[in-house]
Amino acid sequence: MTALRKPRLDIQIQSRLSRRWKGIVWHHSASPDRATRDWDGIVKYHTSFRVDYRVVANEEFDRLLRERKGQRFERPWSAVGYHGGTEWVEGRVVFHWGRPLDRIGAHAGVKGLSNLFNQEYLGLAAIGNFDLAPPKPEHWDFNLHLTRAFMDAFGISKSRVIGHREVFDKLGVPRQKSCPGLRWDMDLFRSDL
Ligand SMILES: [Zn+2]
């Protein structure tokens, strides 16, 4: 008997405490993965006041808004936009839970067009910039394993596991993102599932 290499994944997906998810959208952080917990930085970012993608204090946010200095103003979200994320921490890949599974995500909306993929698809993020290099084999395998666990829990088919950039294809509009990275081949990822 040959043993398949299985990454360790100690997560409990409680599907009964969840919305009925129809699919999964994968993202990358588009930032370098350092040795520390970069996931915490993403959580902090999403739950802070932001002006043009920069974290600011509440007072500065109010001032910039009043003076109309900035293009994009975002108030703190009640939770990180993704339902979970994966990253290297101290030499191994780990999973972090994010937004509770009974809440719609904030990761795949297309402004002025559609919020469908936030409502119906789970959002998962892998820390790293996969425009520059593909995920390392251990990270790739871990993400596959995690995806399969969510597919099993919710009866999701392979064809409904997509990358963020494919949200635009599904909606029939030009891609606005390369996410989860130009070097993350989604066809290969689906075929590996
Ligand atoms: Zn994305």
Side-chain angles (χ1 to χ4, degrees), residues 4-138:
L4 286 171
R5 193 160 52 99
K6 272 199 173 177
R8 197 145 52 93
L9 185 64
D10 299 322
I11 65 161
Q12 289 287 322
I13 300 170
Q14 301 221 324
S15 58
R16 69 194 164 78
L17 299 176
S18 172
R19 292 171 67 88
R20 306 306 307 169
W21 299 102
K22 293 183 180 169
I24 296 165
V25 179
W26 269 101
H27 302 263
H28 69 154
S29 63
S31 59
D33 190 7
R34 296 165 308 217
T36 53
R37 281 179 51 132
D38 291 306
W39 175 252
D40 299 346
I42 293 178
V43 174
K44 182 171 186 301
Y45 177 75
H46 283 174
T47 55
S48 297
F49 286 92
R50 290 154 281 162
V51 177
D52 295 338
Y53 306 100
R54 185 169 63 89
V55 170
V56 296
N58 192 350
E59 302 71 43
E60 191 182 357
F61 181 92
D62 291 342
R63 182 180 62 77
L64 292 169
L65 187 60
R66 206 165 48 237
E67 296 172 3
R68 295 173 193 254
K69 285 182 180 160
Q71 304 289 321
R72 188 182 167 96
F73 292 85
E74 294 172 284
R75 294 177 188 282
W77 297 346
S78 55
V80 63
Y82 312 111
H83 296 97
T86 65
E87 69 169 326
W88 289 90
V89 177
E90 292 165 359
R92 68 186 188 103
V93 184
V94 299
F95 175 70
H96 305 292
W97 282 108
R99 185 171 283 237
L101 292 182
D102 62 354
R103 291 182 46 201
I104 68 165
H107 57 90
V110 182
K111 208 166 187 177
L113 184 64
S114 173
N115 204 34
L116 184 73
F117 290 90
N118 278 333
Q119 289 164 344
E120 298 192 342
Y121 281 50
L122 284 158
L124 298 175
I127 310 293
N129 187 335
F130 307 119
D131 279 335
L132 305 177
K136 291 185 199 132
E138 294 90 335

Side-chain angles (χ1 to χ4, degrees), residues 168-182:
F168 303 97
D169 305 349
K170 298 230 177 240
L171 294 171
V173 296
R175 289 182 177 183
Q176 298 171 15
K177 308 252 181 192
S178 61
C179 185
L182 298 169

